[in-house]
Amino acid sequence: MPINRRHLLRLAGAATASAALTGALRAEGGSFSILPEYDGLFATSTPLHVRDVTLRVRDAELMTRFYSEILGLSVLETTSDKTLLGVDGITLVTLEHRPDAPVEPPSEAGLYHTAFLMPSRAELARWLVHTAMAQYQFSGFADHRVSEAVYLDDPEGNGIEVYADRAPELWSWNGDTVIMGTEAIDFDGLLALTDTENDTFAGAPTGMRIGHIHLRAGNIEDARAFYAAALGLDITSGRADAVFLSSGRYHHHVALNTWQSAGAGQRNPEATGLAGFNLLAADQSVLDAAKARLSTAGIELEEGAENLSVSDPWGTGLGIVLAV
C-alpha cells in the first residue's frame, strides 16, 4: 500500500498534522514553503561535533535488529559484550550488552534523544517511507525552521530523532542566537521526493552521521557551566529549562533540558541508557584548547595524546577524540 500522509499520521497516533506536533513538542519543547534541496553535512564540518554514542542495553539482539533494520546501520563488530553499528565503516552506535541492568527512569539525567542526520531531504523521505512500511511507531514530526525532524523511540525507550537540515544560509540568526521553532512538517513535500509504493531505503546512506545529541539534565545552570564555560561550546539558544549549544555556528550539537528531570542527581552507572558519547576534534589545536579549558575549570579528566575523557555533572561520560 502506498505510504501517504494519513498512514504516517496513524503511525504517530494522530489524526492531523497539527496533532502530530504534540510528540515533537515533547521532543524539542516549541509549514514552511518548499525550499531548495540541500545536500550537505555542515554539522560534521565544525571544530567539534558528535562522533558516536554508547548505549547500555538489556536485549542486545532486539536492539541490534532495530538499529540495523529500522535505521539501516551496518553491524561492524560483535563480541560477547558489545555490538558496534555504523555507516561508511564508521561506528555511530555501540551497544553494551547488560541483560541485568536496571532500567533508567526518564526522571533521571541521561539521554533525551540521539539525532541521526540524513545527508539530504530525499534520504529522509526514503527512510520515512521505509519505517512506515515496517509499521514502526513514530512519536512526532516537526519542522524546526533549520531542519525537518521525525521522532521515535528504540525498543528500550531511548529517544531518536532522524532529520535533515535546511541549507545553513537559510537559517535565521539574531546575533549569536539561531531562530528555531516547532511547526507542522510538510509531509506532501517530503513524500514527493521518493517512491511511496515501494521501500527504496537500502540502508543508512553514505554520509549519515549523528548530527546532535539531546540530554536530560538536573539543572540548566550546571549544564551551561560544564558544556559552555568549561568545554567551550557556544550557546545558540536557550531558556530557563533548556539550552542548545554548538561549535562553529551549527544550530546545535548538544542540547540539555530539565523537562522531565529537574533536580536529578548523579546517574546510576549500571543503568540502561546512555553510557557516554564522543565528540570529534578537527585538529590537535581544538583538542588542546578543550583540555586547557577543562583543566582551568577544575574538571577532572583522563587524557591521552589524541583523546581525553571526562564526566558531565550527572555522570555521563564524554570523550573528545582527535580526527584521523
Side-chain angles (χ1 to χ4, degrees):
M1 181 177 67
I3 299 301
N4 55 34
R5 171 195 293 255
R6 181 177 298 177
H7 194 141
L8 294 171
L9 289 170
R10 182 173 60 80
L11 284 171
T16 66
S18 59
L21 277 174
T22 302
L25 285 165
R26 284 196 298 267
E28 290 289 4
S31 296
F32 301 92
S33 58
I34 296 175
L35 295 169
E37 180 75 357
Y38 168 61
D39 292 304
L41 291 166
F42 176 50
T44 59
S45 69
T46 57
L48 282 172
H49 58 84
V50 182
R51 187 185 74 169
D52 64 283
V53 301
T54 297
L55 302 175
R56 197 173 293 114
V57 306
R58 292 164 62 96
D59 190 331
E61 182 178 350
L62 176 63
M63 293 286 277
T64 298
R65 190 160 61 246
F66 169 83
Y67 282 96
S68 59
E69 294 181 3
I70 298 300
L71 286 187
L73 300 180
S74 299
V75 176
L76 304 178
E77 180 184 342
T78 300
T79 68
S80 60
D81 61 356
K82 67 180 178 181
T83 300
L84 278 63
L85 301 104
V87 63
D88 301 328
I90 298 170
T91 299
L92 301 184
V93 177
T94 298
L95 303 176
E96 290 186 350
H97 309 165
R98 300 290 186 271
D100 298 322
V103 176
E104 183 174 75
S107 58
E108 295 297 317
L111 180 67
Y112 199 63
H113 62 240
T114 303
F116 294 88
L117 175 59
M118 288 293 183
S120 71
R121 194 175 187 231
E123 292 292 358
L124 177 63
R126 277 189 280 274
W127 172 82
L128 183 60
V129 169
H130 160 76
T131 306
M133 285 187 169
Q135 297 292 299
Y136 200 86
Q137 190 77 29
F138 299 110
S139 56
F141 310 91
D143 188 320
H144 293 305
R145 300 179 184 248
V146 295
S147 63
E148 293 173 291
V150 179
Y151 296 94
L152 63 161
D153 294 331
D154 74 18
E156 294 196 0
N158 297 295
I160 290 173
E161 175 183 341
V162 182
Y163 74 112
D165 276 332
R166 283 199 169 91
E169 58 266 26
L170 298 175
W171 305 350
S172 295
W173 292 81
N174 181 8
D176 292 327
T177 299
V178 67
I179 308 304
M180 295 187 286
T182 301
E183 308 291 346
I185 200 168
D186 177 10
F187 286 118
D188 296 333
L190 270 175
L191 295 177
L193 297 173
T194 192
D195 185 344
T196 59
E197 297 188 9
N198 300 285
D199 184 355
T200 60
F201 183 77
T206 294
M208 188 180 98
R209 296 291 185 268
I210 296 176
H212 66 267
I213 187 168
H214 197 144
L215 305 173
R216 302 189 306 262
N219 66 80
I220 297 305
E221 294 77 12
D222 287 347
R224 288 171 174 260
F226 179 83
Y227 285 97
L231 182 58
L233 294 176
D234 300 316
I235 295 175
T236 57
S237 185
R239 49 186 189 262
D241 58 0
V243 62
F244 298 80
L245 311 100
S246 83
S247 170
R249 282 180 77 84
Y250 187 57
H251 51 75
H252 66 293
H253 288 106
V254 178
L256 301 100
N257 74 69
T258 58
W259 301 330
Q260 299 168 292
S261 55
Q266 286 289 302
R267 300 177 61 205
N268 179 350
E270 303 300 323
T272 58
L274 182 66
F277 67 101
N278 286 308
L279 299 176
L280 198 64
D283 56 41
Q284 188 69 49
S285 67
V286 175
L287 181 62
D288 290 343
K291 288 180 183 179
R293 281 192 302 266
L294 290 162
S295 296
T296 299
I299 305 296
E300 183 178 347
L301 57 86
E302 297 180 8
E303 60 179 286
E306 298 183 345
N307 62 81
L308 65 84
S309 59
V310 296
S311 293
D312 80 1
W314 300 278
T316 296
L318 165 63
I320 302 180
V321 181
L322 184 64
V324 177

